[in-house]
């Protein structure tokens, strides 16, 4: 018997970060509203949430970025303009202090609809198949985080997984995760990417999670604590991730987006170049993004723990 697809009725989009890596471009413009060729960064997260079937999208904002709310409004509109069924409502939560990603998610306590919920970090644009939908289709139990291999010198920038068994396949059991380990101390080179499926119990844990890396309440730390009671899975997604919290990532995403739009217009096959050494150098990504072009999955080969 086939397992039902996990319904993600709620998707949280944290968008209260200061964007200090993108100054001066973010001096007066929210980083989530910077353009990726033809649409703002945050629209990719909205499109992905809509495609995953969210009924409620919770956007975590801060007072200094009112334009996000002005842009999105109270009803989710897909950039394709296509609406299937009742459109998702968008609700806003104010994160009063910049206390980290874990704190941003904690601010949504009591606002999620019943069942597991998704989190999309808008800085992490994933072109290709909708990552959140792929995860919902593969999710069976517990919590799940999107994963990709990163160069060893970059492990200090990410949440890094600890594995107990072989690191192969699309859904890989995880027995721990550590946020931004110091150089040389990473348990593997497989990093968390900003797509999560979480269980409501995470709110209780977040409420008791002490500040971690960077003096912030880390979502990673709460998820690590939760592995004592619920399984955690690393999900190797098929698309290509761009770190749009950096100038290079934003530019690479814009170029890939331009190529995908041109390919759709010309009805031609598309090649999306990997934007940086962050992606597995041995794999090639061909594809078409959520605008509807062809996509050939990137390599699913992950190397084992160090
Ligand atoms: C956040 C998470 C980290 C994850 C990363 C992916 O870090 O805390 O675990 O690997 O997103 O982009 P940030 O980039 O917000 O510092």
């Amino acid at each position: 018997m086939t397992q039902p697809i996990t319904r993600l009725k709620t998707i949280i989009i944290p968008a209260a970060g200061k964007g200090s890596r993108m100054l001066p471009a973010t001096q007066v413009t929210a980083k989530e509203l910077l353009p990726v060729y033809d649409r703002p960064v945050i629209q990719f997260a909205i499109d992905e949430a809509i495609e995953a079937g969210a009924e409620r999208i919770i956007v975590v904002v801060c007072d200094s970025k009112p334009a996000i709310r002005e842009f999105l409004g109270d009803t989710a509109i897909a950039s394709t303009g296509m609406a299937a069924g009742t459109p998702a409502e968008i609700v806003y939560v104010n994160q009063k202090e910049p206390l980290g990603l874990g704190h941003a998610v904690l601010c949504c306590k009591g606002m999620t609809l019943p069942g597991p919920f998704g989190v999309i970090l808008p800085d992490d644009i994933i072109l290709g198949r909708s990552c959140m939908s792929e995860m919902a289709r593969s999710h069976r139990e517990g919590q799940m985080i999107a994963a990709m291999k990163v160069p060893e010198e970059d492990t200090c920038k990410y949440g890094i997984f600890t594995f107990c068994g072989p690191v192969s396949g699309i859904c890989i059991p995880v027995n721990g995760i550590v946020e931004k380990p110091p150089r040389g101390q990473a348990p593997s080179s497989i990093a968390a990417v900003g797509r999560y499926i979480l269980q409501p119990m995470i709110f209780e844990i977040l409420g008791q999670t002490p500040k971690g890396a960077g003096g912030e309440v880390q979502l990673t730390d709460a998820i690590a604590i939760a592995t004592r009671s619920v399984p955690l899975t690393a999900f190797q997604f098929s698309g290509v991730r761009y770190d749009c919290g950096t100038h290079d990532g934003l530019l690479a995403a814009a170029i890939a987006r331009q190529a995908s739009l041109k390919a759709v217009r010309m009805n031609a096959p598309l090649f999306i170049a990997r934007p940086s050494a962050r992606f597995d150098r041995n794999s090639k990504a061909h594809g078409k993004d959520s605008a509807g072009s062809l996509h050939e999955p990137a390599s699913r080969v992950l190397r084992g723990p160090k």
Side-chain angles (χ1 to χ4, degrees):
M1 208 175 83
T2 45
Q3 290 263 6
I5 295 171
T6 295
R7 286 281 324 271
L8 298 172
K9 292 182 180 172
T10 312
I11 291 188
I12 295 173
I13 302 179
K18 286 188 292 235
S20 38
R21 285 186 296 169
M22 301 290 279
L23 286 168
T26 49
Q27 187 101 22
V28 293
T29 305
K31 62 178 173 163
E32 294 81 5
L33 295 178
L34 294 177
V36 179
Y37 189 59
D38 65 331
R39 44 172 121 146
V41 167
I42 199 164
Q43 185 65 49
F44 290 82
I46 296 291
D47 286 348
E48 202 174 319
I50 292 171
E51 198 173 332
E55 294 170 24
R56 176 177 294 171
I57 298 172
I58 306 176
V59 182
V60 184
V61 291
C62 60
D63 287 339
S64 61
K65 300 203 282 190
I68 291 180
R69 191 168 183 162
E70 280 172 37
F71 172 71
L72 292 177
D74 296 329
T75 305
I77 301 170
S79 53
T80 55
M82 306 262 289
T86 313
E89 62 171 344
I90 303 183
V91 296
Y92 298 88
V93 174
N94 200 21
Q95 186 181 16
K96 293 197 179 79
E97 292 173 277
L99 295 178
L101 177 59
H103 179 255
V105 172
L106 180 58
C107 290
C108 304
K109 185 177 178 180
M111 298 187 66
T112 55
L113 297 170
F117 61 94
V119 177
I120 296 178
L121 305 190
D123 280 2
D124 281 347
I125 287 184
I126 297 177
L127 298 183
R129 293 200 188 104
S130 163
C131 183
M132 206 75 253
S133 300
E134 276 189 326
M135 287 171 71
R137 275 195 296 275
S138 296
H139 179 261
R140 294 290 174 268
E141 56 175 354
Q143 308 200 114
M144 179 180 258
I145 310 178
M148 70 174 190
K149 184 168 171 44
V150 296
E152 284 190 19
E153 64 270 23
D154 284 348
T155 51
C156 56
K157 300 176 187 167
Y158 295 92
I160 300 292
F161 295 105
T162 306
F163 300 96
C164 43
V167 182
S168 63
I170 295 173
C171 293
I172 311 154
V174 173
N175 64 352
I177 179 165
V178 52
E179 181 69 11
K180 302 190 175 75
R183 270 177 207 279
Q185 292 179 34
S188 76
S189 52
I190 309 302
V193 175
R195 302 290 182 279
Y196 305 78
I197 293 179
L198 301 175
Q199 299 292 342
M201 47 91 83
I202 201 72
F203 290 117
E204 300 309 321
I205 298 175
L206 277 168
Q208 294 163 29
T209 302
K211 288 179 184 170
E216 297 182 339
V217 179
Q218 296 292 348
L219 182 59
T220 305
D221 293 345
I223 294 171
I225 294 167
T227 57
R228 295 175 200 153
S229 49
V230 291
L232 176 61
T233 304
F235 177 80
Q236 210 199 175
F237 54 97
S238 67
V240 178
R241 175 258 190 181
Y242 298 85
D243 181 358
C244 292
T246 67
H247 297 295
D248 287 352
L250 190 67
L251 178 61
I255 291 168
R257 172 79 189 143
Q258 180 199 39
S260 93
L261 281 181
K262 281 191 174 165
V264 170
R265 281 184 203 129
M266 293 166 64
N267 201 15
L270 172 68
F271 173 74
I272 297 178
R274 293 228 171 222
S276 72
R278 286 212 170 162
F279 301 104
D280 186 345
R281 288 180 188 147
N282 299 322
S283 60
K284 287 181 185 162
H286 302 263
K288 126 180 179 170
D289 75 354
S290 49
S293 38
L294 291 170
H295 189 274
E296 184 182 308
S299 164
R300 295 192 182 282
V301 180
L302 292 176
R303 271 186 225 134
K306 283 196 254 185

